[in-house]
């Protein structure tokens, strides 16, 4: 079976995996929603509605209301690749969220995750 491009996967399938990753480490869905809102500008209510829609993960990022300009401060590795070195802008945005959820799952304080 060929691998599916993550940008074509349903947001409704991917987002619960991010939530589960954080919850497995004692964090909450509200915290995942908070870091996602910080990054993308979606409200928690909008995230909930999008989970009930058929929007793709790629379009979730393409249609984000307000990508946070401080996201360029996110650095480090996700899946062995430095997020700041990812050339494809859409994939970099996706990996930014992965990195934020990783930091959340590792117990990093919210103020540090949100680059305050």
């Amino acid at each position: 079976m060929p691998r599916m491009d993550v940008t074509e996967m349903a947001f409704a399938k991917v987002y619960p995996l991010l939530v589960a990753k954080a919850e497995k480490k004692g964090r909450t869905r509200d915290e995942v929603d908070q870091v996602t809102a910080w990054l993308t500008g979606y409200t928690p209510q909008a995230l909930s509605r999008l989970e009930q829609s058929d929007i793709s993960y790629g379009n979730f990022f393409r249609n984000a209301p307000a990508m946070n300009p401080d996201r360029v401060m996110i650095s480090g590795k996700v899946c062995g690749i430095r997020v700041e070195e990812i050339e494809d802008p859409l994939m970099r945005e996706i990996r930014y969220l992965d990195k934020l959820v990783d930091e959340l799952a590792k117990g990093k304080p919210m103020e540090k995750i949100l680059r305050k």
Side-chain angles (χ1 to χ4, degrees), residues 9 29 40 42 48 73 79 84 95:
M9 293 175 75
R29 182 199 171 92
T40 63
Y42 288 109
S48 183
M73 294 169 38
C79 299
E84 62 272 25
R95 292 303 186 188

Side-chain angles (χ1 to χ4, degrees), residues 7 9 12 24 27 33 42 50 54 59-60 74 84-85 89-90 97 103 106-107 110 116:
T7 64
M9 293 175 75
K24 191 167 79 172
R27 300 309 283 256
D33 287 351
Y42 288 109
L50 288 168
D54 61 355
N59 283 338
F60 168 78
I74 300 169
E84 62 272 25
E85 295 174 1
L90 179 58
L97 183 55
E103 290 175 356
K106 288 178 181 171
M110 189 61 77
K116 291 183 177 181

Side-chain angles (χ1 to χ4, degrees), residues 48-85:
S48 183
R49 279 194 309 276
L50 288 168
E51 269 194 282
Q52 305 306 314
S53 75
D54 61 355
I55 191 170
S56 71
Y57 203 48
N59 283 338
F60 168 78
F61 285 96
R62 287 183 195 102
N63 300 332
M67 293 302 289
N68 192 313
D70 289 341
R71 70 190 183 281
V72 297
M73 294 169 38
I74 300 169
S75 62
K77 290 185 178 183
V78 173
C79 299
I81 298 169
R82 297 200 67 77
V83 293
E84 62 272 25
E85 295 174 1

